[in-house]
Amino acid sequence: HDWFDLKIDIVLENGMSFPISDLKENLLSGKKEFILKNGSTFIIPDEMFSRFSGIMLFGKKTTNNHLLLQRKQAHNLLSGQIKSQITQNPINYAVPVNLKATLRPYQNEGYQWLCNLYNLHCGACLADDMGLGKTIETIAFIMHCKESNSTGEHSCILIIVPASLVHNWRNEIKKFSPTISLLEYTGSEYQRKNKQKTFETWDAIVTSYQIFRNDAEFFREKKFTIAVLDEAQIFKNRSSQLYKCVTSLQADFKISLTGTP
């Protein structure tokens, strides 16, 4: 459900046709001359480079010469009409009734954005400046997902933060969303093992990056509805163990939060 399957053919004036996926290497390298099967040369128009380079960069070529493009790359699609249908959501999501706060206009905009990306099965990087309310926007979004869950199945949300912010998140959730049951996954190894037995009974679990890395094997086997990664610049080093743990995390929707440029 996370892919567009694209089949685009180029038809020449002499009736010859070929899939645009054949031009992937040329469009990415900037080489304009493409040798056709009959030995003649096709000069790629400049317009095609600007129009299709995004699709070629992110699209995966299949064995049947189609291109698979992830939903989150919808802005690279060629049709403006298709783009607007996919990336623009006319729905105005109601703020959760149990949220004990009033969102400012720009916070509501961030909340709407998160809800929209969630329904498009995309991930999100909320990178508002420090102090603008990324936490309350995220809490409102978490509550929206809980209140709109019509399947009846239990969903679990994982929140990973620096150790110094674990208590802050606990207090913020308790203050603004008292209907969300929260497990603070901290303590000694023995204490954490006891808490692991009750994971499926909580709405949300908050832990630190250090504990998440230490218990990576346990978390790797779990599947979460939403994963929130606060101060996401912490794992920007792609060669770090923490980065590898984060990328192995199983979640339907991942949100990274950062106020650091």
Side-chain angles (χ1 to χ4, degrees), residues 118 141-159 179-183 198-205 222-227 250-253:
Y118 177 74
F141 166 72
I142 290 173
M143 292 186 68
H144 162 77
C145 294
K146 182 182 181 229
E147 292 182 4
S148 61
N149 181 10
S150 59
T151 63
E153 297 180 2
H154 178 73
S155 60
C156 188
I157 298 162
L158 178 64
I159 304 169
T179 58
I180 298 290
S181 63
L182 179 71
L183 170 66
T198 67
F199 255 48
E200 281 69 25
T201 64
W202 299 89
D203 293 326
I205 295 154
K222 293 293 180 181
K223 177 69 178 292
F224 299 93
T225 307
I226 298 168
Q250 297 186 72
D252 295 329
F253 185 67

Side-chain angles (χ1 to χ4, degrees), residues 18-212:
F18 57 91
I20 196 172
S21 56
D22 287 354
L23 299 180
K24 181 170 184 175
E25 183 177 336
N26 289 67
L27 291 174
L28 291 179
S29 65
K31 184 179 179 181
K32 300 190 67 173
E33 298 81 12
F34 176 72
I35 306 301
L36 299 171
K37 291 182 178 179
N38 64 2
S40 59
T41 301
F42 171 63
I43 304 299
I44 303 174
D46 291 337
E47 180 190 359
M48 292 186 67
F49 285 94
S50 59
R51 201 171 189 183
F52 295 107
S53 59
I55 291 178
M56 294 302 169
L57 180 61
F58 296 104
K60 296 182 179 180
K61 186 175 179 179
T62 66
T63 54
N64 58 359
N65 292 320
H66 290 200
L67 289 166
L68 289 180
L69 192 70
Q70 284 186 308
R71 188 187 298 251
K72 63 186 176 184
Q73 298 297 340
H75 61 278
N76 284 308
L77 288 176
L78 134 88
S79 168
Q81 182 179 0
I82 294 176
K83 174 184 174 183
S84 64
Q85 289 175 352
I86 296 167
T87 60
Q88 296 179 18
N89 195 327
I91 299 174
N92 182 35
Y93 297 95
V95 176
V97 295
N98 293 314
L99 181 68
K100 304 299 181 182
T102 300
L103 297 181
R104 295 186 174 95
Y106 58 85
Q107 293 171 340
N108 183 61
E109 184 179 351
Y111 163 73
Q112 300 288 336
W113 182 73
L114 289 174
C115 292
N116 187 28
L117 289 176
Y118 177 74
N119 286 313
L120 290 174
H121 304 284
C122 297
C125 177
L126 185 58
D128 289 342
D129 289 338
M130 293 177 62
L132 291 184
K134 293 186 292 295
T135 302
I136 188 62
E137 292 173 37
T138 305
I139 291 175
F141 166 72
I142 290 173
M143 292 186 68
H144 162 77
C145 294
K146 182 182 181 229
E147 292 182 4
S148 61
N149 181 10
S150 59
T151 63
E153 297 180 2
H154 178 73
S155 60
C156 188
I157 298 162
L158 178 64
I159 304 169
I160 311 175
V161 304
S164 60
L165 295 180
V166 170
H167 296 310
N168 179 68
W169 270 89
R170 180 197 63 189
N171 294 336
E172 294 285 278
I173 290 177
K174 183 178 179 180
K175 177 181 178 181
F176 296 118
S177 57
T179 58
I180 298 290
S181 63
L182 179 71
L183 170 66
E184 188 175 330
Y185 185 72
T186 56
S188 64
E189 183 177 357
Y190 174 78
Q191 291 172 321
R192 298 199 306 273
K193 283 191 177 295
N194 284 332
K195 292 178 179 180
Q196 290 174 5
K197 302 173 185 177
T198 67
F199 255 48
E200 281 69 25
T201 64
W202 299 89
D203 293 326
I205 295 154
V206 61
T207 191
S208 69
Y209 281 106
Q210 181 179 353
I211 290 176
F212 170 70

Side-chain angles (χ1 to χ4, degrees), residues 3 21 239 261:
W3 297 88
S21 56
S239 62

